[in-house]
Amino acid sequence: MLLTLLGTASARADSAHSARSGGASVKYPAVTGLKCTTGEKTRCPRGSLLRLSGVHLDSTRTVVFLGKRGKRDDRRVRPRTASPHRVLVRVPSRARSGRVRVIASAISATSPRLRILPKPTPPPLVPTSGPLAGVFPIRGEHDYGTAINRFGAGRGHQGQDVLADCATPLVAAVAGTVTSTRYHSAAGNYVVITSDDGTSQVYMHMLKRATVKRGRRVAAGDPLGEVGQTGRASACHLHFELWTAPGWRAGGAPVDPLRLLKALDFAS
Ligand SMILES: [Zn+2]
């Protein structure tokens, strides 16, 4: 689901410099980098936001996903925002892998190659009954907050926040293997569990380090720790992410986990 840049930014005629023609100074745009909302620099799923960085990008009117040679698979879109050093654009639903061009009036600049991935489809719901049933991860009173707590809120909120009192017990929603447990300045204490189908669940802002070690198998309902507000958080809450296979930071993409959470919540 992400894009892949093969090769590095080519400077060529797109090169970033100002030239004088007939006394007028022309600012040539140049694209030097790409970054997908998933955090990857070379791949991006359709429907995701892509950031192009470079110089003289502020007058970008159109972004063209060039795809293969020839114009037939070109997909032209308007940028969502354009500033001197960055352009934000949504990857069109029919974009193909290839370079990306920014067009500012008559001048254009082309990025390195980007690999377009299919739009992520929501992973199947974890069963809410039976032997493989999932469990709602917060064992106590909770609520889903407001619009700002939703997946996709603001720029790049990749999970759903569930508000609960500090120190409310937190359990694994889904069985799997602990693939990461660390502290991060924004995520706080967090733990990642990857299920056998390759999907990952991420639990952030935990009160203390997770009580499970990396590599350990957990069943749905196994204790992970407690709800907290470590990292960048203004109140105690669980920031919960759901990633498609092959999982968190392994090539998967985040998808809206609210449907899963509400189904588990209803069944718990
Ligand atoms: Zn959050």
Side-chain angles (χ1 to χ4, degrees):
M1 10 218 103
L2 331 223
L3 321 154
T4 296
L5 315 183
L6 307 172
T8 52
S10 58
R12 301 191 292 186
D14 306 317
S15 148
H17 63 274
S18 298
R20 292 200 166 267
S21 58
S25 177
V26 180
K27 303 272 192 198
Y28 287 96
V31 179
T32 53
L34 299 169
K35 191 169 186 186
C36 186
T37 185
T38 56
E40 299 207 28
K41 293 179 177 174
T42 57
R43 308 189 296 167
C44 200
R46 292 172 177 146
S48 298
L49 288 175
L50 175 71
R51 191 179 74 203
L52 298 97
S53 50
V55 295
H56 303 319
L57 298 175
D58 43 323
S59 53
T60 299
R61 300 264 168 79
T62 306
V63 177
V64 189
F65 289 77
L66 295 171
K68 296 182 178 173
R69 281 186 67 168
K71 291 195 167 178
R72 269 220 308 216
D73 64 353
D74 288 5
R75 293 287 173 265
R76 304 169 74 90
V77 283
R78 284 183 164 277
R80 287 166 65 98
T81 59
S83 63
H85 296 291
R86 56 177 56 172
V87 167
L88 194 67
V89 67
R90 192 172 293 284
V91 179
S93 62
R94 291 166 67 209
R96 302 281 297 269
S97 298
R99 292 171 182 261
V100 182
R101 178 170 291 162
V102 299
I103 302 178
S105 43
I107 311 163
S108 72
T110 308
S111 81
R113 184 181 148 83
L114 178 68
R115 184 159 153 232
I116 303 287
L117 300 167
K119 191 171 185 172
T121 48
L125 275 183
V126 173
T128 52
S129 62
L132 295 174
V135 171
F136 189 74
I138 295 176
R139 309 315 289 164
E141 292 286 312
H142 57 269
D143 70 76
Y144 295 94
T146 63
I148 60 163
N149 302 112
R150 293 280 288 120
F151 177 87
R155 242 207 243 162
H157 191 236
Q158 298 189 330
Q160 170 70 44
D161 298 329
V162 189
L163 285 61
D165 285 345
C166 304
T168 305
L170 208 53
V171 300
V174 180
T177 302
V178 177
T179 45
S180 191
T181 163
R182 317 177 87 135
Y183 177 85
H184 178 270
S185 58
N189 292 308
Y190 71 92
V191 60
V192 183
I193 295 174
T194 300
S195 301
D196 294 341
D197 65 0
T199 61
S200 302
Q201 302 84 43
V202 188
Y203 307 75
M204 293 183 180
H205 309 309
M206 293 166 61
L207 191 63
K208 297 173 191 159
R209 281 291 188 117
T211 54
V212 288
K213 294 262 182 293
R214 189 163 175 258
R216 206 190 109 183
R217 291 284 304 178
V218 292
D222 280 357
L224 299 179
E226 296 165 329
V227 174
Q229 64 176 92
T230 53
R232 205 179 302 139
S234 53
C236 277
H237 74 281
L238 167 66
H239 170 101
F240 182 86
E241 295 184 4
L242 180 60
W243 286 65
T244 57
W248 184 77
R249 299 209 178 152
V255 291
D256 188 350
L258 190 58
R259 200 166 70 113
L260 168 65
L261 287 171
K262 289 208 163 164
L264 295 174
D265 203 357
F266 182 77
S268 295

